[in-house]
């Protein structure tokens, strides 16, 4: 199954110039920029409907905090499956997604104890975990703050416990990239750069079915 992962497009989704097609699109959050920009959210949903993917998954980011404050607005995303601390199975692939980040209270879980309880709900046997924020120490350093990690220790512990094949996230734009540690491939799919433009491309990879 061909998967295309992206994150942190911040209203610039229509500026993406690479071919946007495959079996599964995964957007790991921050598709908007201003917290209550309803036209931008509606346009993002319309854009999703124009893409040639059999399946699409979206996890909100901290810039979509309005979907936490007003959960009924999650219904604005009709052209993808929106995951908010929830799971879905697509073609036998088990996915779980969450918008929670440890350095922003946009979707609650501001304490380590709350995050630990949330991540304990990740089902055993999950193949792909999608979160907006990164795990601690993995693709989570800001460009101007080397050695300072913005990732979540509780999320890292959950990934080490559940051992998904892939963990997709964003949030920390400067650490975009992929890294394999143990049984898990970690993908920071953030696209927005320091210039304010989409400096990075979506990350495409093949995920084997029937494993």
């Amino acid at each position: 199954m061909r998967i295309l992962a992206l994150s942190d497009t911040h209203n610039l989704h229509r500026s993406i110039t690479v071919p946007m097609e495959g079996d599964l699109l995964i957007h790991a959050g921050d598709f908007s920029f201003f917290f209550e920009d309803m036209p931008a959210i509606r346009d993002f949903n319309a854009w999703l409907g124009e893409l040639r993917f059999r399946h699409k998954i979206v996890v909100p980011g901290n810039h979509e905090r309005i979907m936490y404050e007003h959960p009924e607005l999650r219904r604005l995303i009709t052209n993808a499956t929106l995951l908010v601390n929830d799971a879905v199975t697509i073609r036998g692939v088990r996915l779980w997604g969450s918008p929670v980040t440890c350095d922003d209270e946009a979707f609650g879980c501001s304490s380590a104890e709350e995050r630990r309880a949330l991540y304990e709900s990740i089902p055993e046997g999950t193949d792909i975990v999608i979160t907006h924020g990164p795990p601690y120490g993995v693709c989570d350093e800001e460009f101007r703050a080397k050695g300072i990690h913005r990732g979540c220790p509780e999320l890292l512990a959950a990934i080490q416990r559940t051992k998904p094949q892939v963990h997709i996230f964003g949030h920390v734009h400067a650490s975009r990239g992929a890294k394999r540690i143990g049984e898990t491939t970690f993908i920071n799919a953030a696209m927005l750069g320091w210039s304010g433009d989409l400096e990075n491309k979506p990350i495409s990879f093949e995920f084997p079915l029937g494993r």
Side-chain angles (χ1 to χ4, degrees):
M1 179 166 62
R2 174 59 56 178
I3 297 177
L4 193 69
L6 63 162
S7 184
D8 299 271
T9 49
H10 291 287
N11 288 354
L12 297 176
H13 44 273
R14 293 191 181 275
S15 299
I16 299 173
T17 57
V18 299
M20 295 289 289
E21 55 186 35
D23 299 305
L24 172 61
L25 173 79
I26 296 177
H27 195 298
D30 277 6
F31 49 82
S32 65
F33 191 82
F34 299 104
F35 299 136
E36 298 184 4
D37 193 344
M38 294 298 99
I41 294 175
R42 291 189 176 95
D43 183 67
F44 175 71
N45 182 62
W47 175 75
L48 287 172
E50 298 165 10
L51 301 180
R52 297 193 299 177
F53 288 84
R54 294 182 61 186
H55 308 280
K56 303 157 198 172
I57 291 177
V58 172
V59 169
N62 55 299
H63 280 256
E64 287 79 57
R65 67 180 67 235
I66 195 170
M67 291 184 169
Y68 177 69
E69 298 165 351
H70 300 281
E72 68 276 9
L73 294 179
R74 298 172 191 176
R75 294 196 296 266
L76 292 175
I77 303 299
T78 60
N79 291 318
T81 299
L82 190 73
L83 294 181
V84 178
N85 306 328
D86 205 358
V88 68
T89 299
I90 294 176
R91 297 180 65 184
V93 178
R94 295 160 292 187
L95 306 100
W96 185 91
S98 173
V100 169
T101 56
C102 67
D103 60 354
D104 193 302
E105 298 181 3
F107 279 83
C109 294
S110 58
S111 72
E113 183 178 354
E114 290 174 309
R115 291 191 299 275
R116 190 176 300 111
L118 169 65
Y119 297 136
E120 285 177 356
S121 71
I122 301 176
E124 296 289 341
T126 296
D127 299 302
I128 300 176
V129 170
I130 310 153
T131 57
H132 180 57
Y136 181 82
V138 184
C139 298
D140 69 337
E141 293 181 77
E142 286 290 6
F143 177 73
R144 296 177 181 173
K146 288 295 183 181
I148 298 177
H149 298 278
R150 292 182 58 193
C152 177
E154 294 74 37
L155 177 56
L156 176 63
I159 296 299
Q160 291 172 336
R161 172 181 59 84
T162 55
K163 296 180 174 61
Q165 295 179 51
V166 179
H167 181 195
I168 297 169
F169 50 90
H171 189 50
V172 182
H173 302 178
S175 285
R176 184 261 189 191
K179 179 183 295 186
R180 184 165 182 84
I181 302 175
E183 300 177 33
T184 301
T185 298
F186 296 85
I187 298 174
N188 181 332
M191 294 184 64
L192 195 74
W194 284 106
S195 67
D197 294 324
L198 297 185
E199 297 178 359
N200 300 312
K201 297 179 180 180
I203 295 176
S204 179
F205 63 97
E206 193 73 27
F207 189 89
L209 299 177
R211 293 184 60 174

